[in-house]
Amino acid sequence: MWTRPLAVLIALAGPAAAQEPLSAIDWLGRDRSEPAIAPRAGTATGSSSTLPEREEPPAVRDARAPEVETGPIGAPEAGAAGLLPMAVTGLPRTLWEGSDPARLQSLISQADPAVPALAALLNTLMLAEADPPPGANNFLAVRVARLVETGALDAAEALLERAGPARPGLFPLWFDVALLTGDASAPCAALNDNPVLARDVGPRVFCAARDGDWPRAALTFETARALGELSGRDADLIERFLSPEMAEETPPLPPPPAPTALQFALAEAVGEPLPAGALPRAFAVAALSGDRGWKAQLDAAERLVRAGALSENRLLGIYTLREPAASGGVWDRVEAVQALDRALAGSDPDALAGALSTAWREMRASGLAVPFSRLFGPDLARRDLSGAAGRIAAQAALLSDSYEDAAATITTDTPELRFLMAVARGSDPSPSPDLPHARAIAAAFAENRAPAGPLIAIAQEDRLGEAILRTMALFSSGAAGNAGDLTDALATLRALGLEDTARRAALQLAILSEDVR
C-alpha cells in the first residue's frame, strides 16, 4: 500500500489541485445524499401505485456455467486508481467516462502545456482518482506513461503501487520506473516469483542475476540467445553484466540513440554510464542523487523543475550545496541565486536590487522564472524596491502562489502592472496596455464573456478531462499568436471552474512573453 504523504503529490500537481469545483458541470448540482442510481418510475416515496407488469428476460439462456470474474474483496479497480481524491482536485469520478479511449490516449500523449500553470493542471489530471472510459483496458498505463515522460517518476511509481503493478499490463512500466529511480527490488522480486509478468527475456535475466541466482541468469541468457530471443545491444550488455571480466577487457559499446531503461541501467552497471543530459527527461532523475557530479545534478534538477516534475525547493537546495565551480551557463545561475539569497538576508537595498536584477535575467532566460518566483516572490513583495527592481519584484510576486495577495499590496503604478493586478484579481483588466497577448487576455476576463460552446458541451457529457485537454491545446494555439483561441481557452477554463489555473496561465503568458528589460 502506498504510504507517501498526500502533500507531496499535491505539490507535484501544483495549485491546479486546489481550486474550486467545476461550477459549469451538471454533476456539481447533484445532491450528494441521493443514491448514485435513481429509483425506477413508480417507486417514489409516498406513492401507492402498483409497479406495472413487464416481461423479464430469462435468467438463464443455456446450461453452460457463466463466466465469473474474481478478485480480492475491496481491491481497487486498477484503471480508476489515483493519488489525488475528488476532495482535493474538485474533479468528478466521471472525468473520462464518456470519452473514446483512443482519442484520450492521443490527447494525453500530444499534450504540450504552454505555461507551467497548465503543466500543473495536466499533472492533476493524471493523478486524479477517476473511472476509466469504457473499454479502456490500458488507460492507467497511458496516464503513468505520461508522468514518466514528464519525469515525475515518484508520482508514477506511487500511482502504480496504488493500482497493484504486479500484472502484465503494468509490469513493464513498473520495471522501467524502478530502474530509473535506482531501486528495482520490488519489481524484481515479483518477476522472480512470477516470470510471466515480463514478455522480454532481458528483465528476467537481470532480476535473476540481481537476486544472486547467477546459474539461472546465465542459463536463461544462453537459451534466449540461442533461440534468437535476445540479440543486439541487449545481448551485448547482458553478457558484460554477467561476465565482469569481459566488460573490463572489451572496448566500450557506442551509446545508443534511444536507450531503454534496462539498457541505461546495464550500461551503468558495467561501467559505461550513458550521459543523461542528451536523453529524454525521465533519465534525468538518475542524476539527482549527485553520484554523477554536481553539474549533472544541477542540469537534471533544472530540466525536471521546468516540467513541473520537481519542486523549486529541491532546486534551491541543490543550487546552494556549495560554491559554483566555474562560470557560464548553470554556474552563473547558481551564483546569481546564491547572491540573491544572501542579499535577502542582509539589509542593503542597493545590493538586493542588483542581485535581483541579475538573478531574474538569468532565471528568465533559462525558462525558470516561475519556480524562481514561487521561491522568492512573496518575500520580494514585502521589500521596499523601486525602479526596475521594484517592477521585477512585482512581476515575481504575481508569478508566485501568493499572486492574489500580491495584487492587493503592490504599490508600483504602471499601466502594465495595473493590467496584471486586475487579472490576478479576476476582474476586467481593460483598457489593455502594450503587453503581449493583453487584448486577448482582457477579452477572456471581460464581464459576461461566453466560453467556447463546444468545449463546455463536451464537459457536460462526462468528457470533462477531454474538454480540459482540448482547452490546453487551444491555449497553445493562442500562445502562438491566435488571439481568438487564447480568449476562448481562458474563458473556458473560467467557465469550468478552473479560475486559479486561468489567472495563473494568463499572468505567466503575459509576463514571460514580454521582452526582458
Side-chain angles (χ1 to χ4, degrees):
M1 178 61 68
W2 172 71
T3 58
R4 289 178 174 81
L6 179 61
V8 174
L9 295 152
I10 295 174
L12 171 66
Q19 303 178 57
E20 291 299 316
L22 311 184
S23 56
I25 308 306
D26 289 343
W27 69 269
L28 186 64
R30 299 173 187 163
D31 184 349
R32 302 304 171 83
S33 64
E34 294 179 355
I37 301 175
R40 292 177 297 187
T43 61
T45 303
S47 172
S48 60
S49 61
T50 304
L51 289 176
E53 294 184 1
R54 60 180 179 178
E55 292 186 4
E56 295 288 348
V60 177
R61 296 183 183 275
D62 55 39
R64 291 174 297 179
E67 294 183 3
V68 179
E69 292 187 3
T70 62
I73 295 176
E77 181 189 352
L83 302 176
L84 298 178
M86 176 180 157
V88 172
T89 65
L91 301 172
R93 286 191 66 90
T94 56
L95 183 63
W96 312 108
E97 200 168 87
S99 296
D100 175 70
R103 182 169 59 241
L104 274 182
Q105 181 172 355
S106 176
L107 287 170
I108 290 172
S109 63
Q110 295 175 13
D112 185 18
V115 292
L118 295 184
L121 179 58
L122 181 60
N123 279 340
T124 298
L125 290 176
M126 297 302 99
L127 293 171
E129 286 183 351
D131 296 324
N137 297 324
N138 67 336
F139 189 58
L140 178 64
V142 171
R143 292 161 55 201
V144 172
R146 179 66 209 212
L147 290 169
V148 171
E149 181 184 347
T150 302
L153 298 188
D154 283 346
E157 185 176 39
L159 188 55
L160 286 166
E161 290 175 2
R162 173 64 62 89
R167 60 186 82 194
L170 295 178
F171 181 83
L173 279 168
W174 187 30
F175 183 68
D176 285 354
V177 168
L179 288 175
L180 293 174
T181 55
D183 184 6
S185 302
C188 275
L191 183 60
N192 287 332
D193 289 341
N194 185 12
V196 300
L197 288 174
R199 296 177 59 185
D200 296 333
V201 178
R204 297 204 295 269
V205 176
F206 176 85
C207 287
R210 192 182 183 281
D211 196 39
D213 193 346
W214 295 98
R216 178 163 61 93
L219 178 60
T220 304
F221 169 69
E222 294 296 347
T223 302
R225 186 163 61 174
L227 294 175
E229 296 176 353
L230 195 61
S231 60
R233 184 175 298 275
D234 281 349
D236 291 339
L237 282 169
I238 290 176
E239 186 172 28
R240 294 176 185 223
F241 179 63
L242 296 177
S243 305
E245 64 281 356
M246 178 183 176
E248 295 176 0
E249 297 171 358
T250 54
L253 294 168
T260 64
L262 180 58
Q263 290 171 350
F264 184 81
L266 288 171
E268 184 157 15
V270 301
E272 301 175 15
L274 300 175
L279 299 177
R281 194 181 295 114
F283 291 88
V285 175
L288 280 180
S289 64
D291 293 343
R292 294 171 175 240
W294 191 29
K295 173 67 163 55
Q297 187 181 21
L298 287 163
D299 290 340
E302 288 189 339
R303 288 185 71 190
L304 295 168
V305 166
R306 287 190 194 99
L310 190 73
S311 74
E312 60 276 1
N313 284 313
R314 181 79 183 276
L315 176 64
L316 180 62
I318 295 173
Y319 270 163
T320 54
L321 280 175
R322 57 184 71 94
E323 293 295 320
S327 60
V330 68
W331 302 119
D332 287 347
R333 292 190 288 279
V334 170
E335 183 177 4
V337 169
Q338 290 186 2
L340 176 61
D341 206 27
R342 291 192 298 270
L344 285 168
S347 57
D348 185 345
D350 292 336
L352 176 58
L356 174 59
S357 297
T358 301
W360 179 251
R361 182 179 64 251
E362 292 289 340
M363 298 299 276
R364 271 202 59 171
S366 61
L368 294 165
V370 172
F372 171 87
S373 298
R374 293 181 69 179
L375 281 169
F376 298 108
D379 193 355
L380 290 169
R382 295 189 291 269
R383 302 303 176 112
D384 185 15
L385 296 168
S386 59
R391 182 172 178 273
I392 291 171
Q395 289 187 340
L398 290 170
L399 289 177
S400 74
D401 292 346
S402 304
Y403 66 90
E404 198 167 3
D405 292 337
T409 58
I410 291 173
T411 58
T412 304
D413 189 17
T414 66
E416 292 81 8
L417 282 176
R418 283 198 297 272
F419 173 85
L420 294 172
M421 287 188 287
V423 171
R425 291 190 295 267
S427 56
D428 190 339
S430 58
S432 303
D434 187 20
L435 272 174
H437 309 289
R439 292 188 182 279
I441 293 172
F445 284 85
E447 293 183 5
N448 301 320
R449 170 71 194 188
L455 294 175
I456 296 299
I458 287 174
Q460 291 171 334
E461 297 171 354
D462 285 340
R463 297 162 62 192
L464 175 58
E466 179 182 342
I468 293 173
L469 291 168
R470 291 186 181 279
T471 302
M472 290 183 187
L474 197 65
F475 186 98
S476 295
S477 173
N482 298 308
D485 287 351
L486 179 58
T487 299
D488 283 344
L490 289 170
T492 300
L493 287 171
R494 301 187 77 200
L496 293 177
L498 297 169
E499 180 70 19
D500 180 63
T501 294
R503 295 187 197 181
R504 289 175 186 271
L507 289 169
Q508 290 167 6
L509 186 62
I511 293 172
L512 301 180
S513 299
E514 189 181 13
D515 292 337
V516 180
R517 301 178 185 176

